[in-house]
Amino acid sequence: QVQLVESGGGLVQAGGSLRLSCAASQRTYSVRYMGWFRQAPGKEREFVASIARTGDTGYYADSVKGRFTISKDNAKNTMYLQMNSLKPEDTAVYYCATSQRGILSSVRFERTYDNWGQGTQVTVSS
């Protein structure tokens, strides 16, 4: 199975920025959608953003819309999440994931994704 490896997490002050990366171990032509999810302590994992492998339109959770931007570089087998204007409530472990069978209406759901990275911690201090 293709391995997904996240990087770029860390500690940042509120209002700051971070850029997360998700590198796939090989090219994945069978992937339809790629996404970012996050899980805060004591909470369920939630959708953050998604993008189609063959498109450039991002889909976002309301909580991050206007602050986060999802993008990808298919040539590098890498997906990114640019996070600006970070808030303490953005603190979580961020996971990237890919889906081979997803459709647009399902990209916000965890069950749509069949391959996951190990996660990277993002901590936003107030």
Side-chain angles (χ1 to χ4, degrees):
Q1 191 175 24
V2 175
Q3 289 188 328
L4 303 176
V5 180
E6 302 97 335
S7 61
L11 174 63
V12 63
Q13 288 188 334
S17 298
L18 282 175
R19 189 195 196 200
L20 304 184
S21 298
C22 174
S25 58
Q26 64 190 64
R27 195 152 293 182
T28 52
Y29 293 107
S30 61
V31 167
R32 290 187 178 182
Y33 286 93
M34 301 175 283
W36 289 95
F37 284 74
R38 66 186 182 186
Q39 187 168 22
K43 295 187 177 181
E44 294 186 350
R45 191 153 53 182
E46 64 176 3
F47 170 76
V48 175
S50 181
I51 189 168
R53 185 181 65 81
T54 56
D56 295 314
T57 301
Y59 306 95
Y60 300 95
D62 288 343
S63 59
V64 306
K65 199 172 296 183
R67 300 188 297 123
F68 290 11
T69 303
I70 188 172
S71 63
K72 58 184 173 57
D73 186 335
N74 287 341
K76 296 182 178 180
N77 301 328
T78 302
M79 175 176 63
Y80 304 98
L81 185 68
Q82 178 66 44
M83 306 185 296
N84 298 330
S85 302
L86 282 162
K87 305 175 182 179
E89 50 264 45
D90 294 319
T91 294
V93 177
Y94 283 72
Y95 299 89
C96 68
T98 60
S99 172
Q100 296 185 355
R101 63 183 186 277
I103 57 176
L104 182 56
S105 61
S106 70
V107 296
R108 298 174 182 267
F109 301 105
E110 227 182 300
R111 63 178 182 268
T112 295
Y113 298 84
D114 42 58
N115 193 18
W116 293 81
Q118 84 289 347
T120 185
Q121 176 71 46
V122 171
T123 303
V124 184
S125 63
S126 56

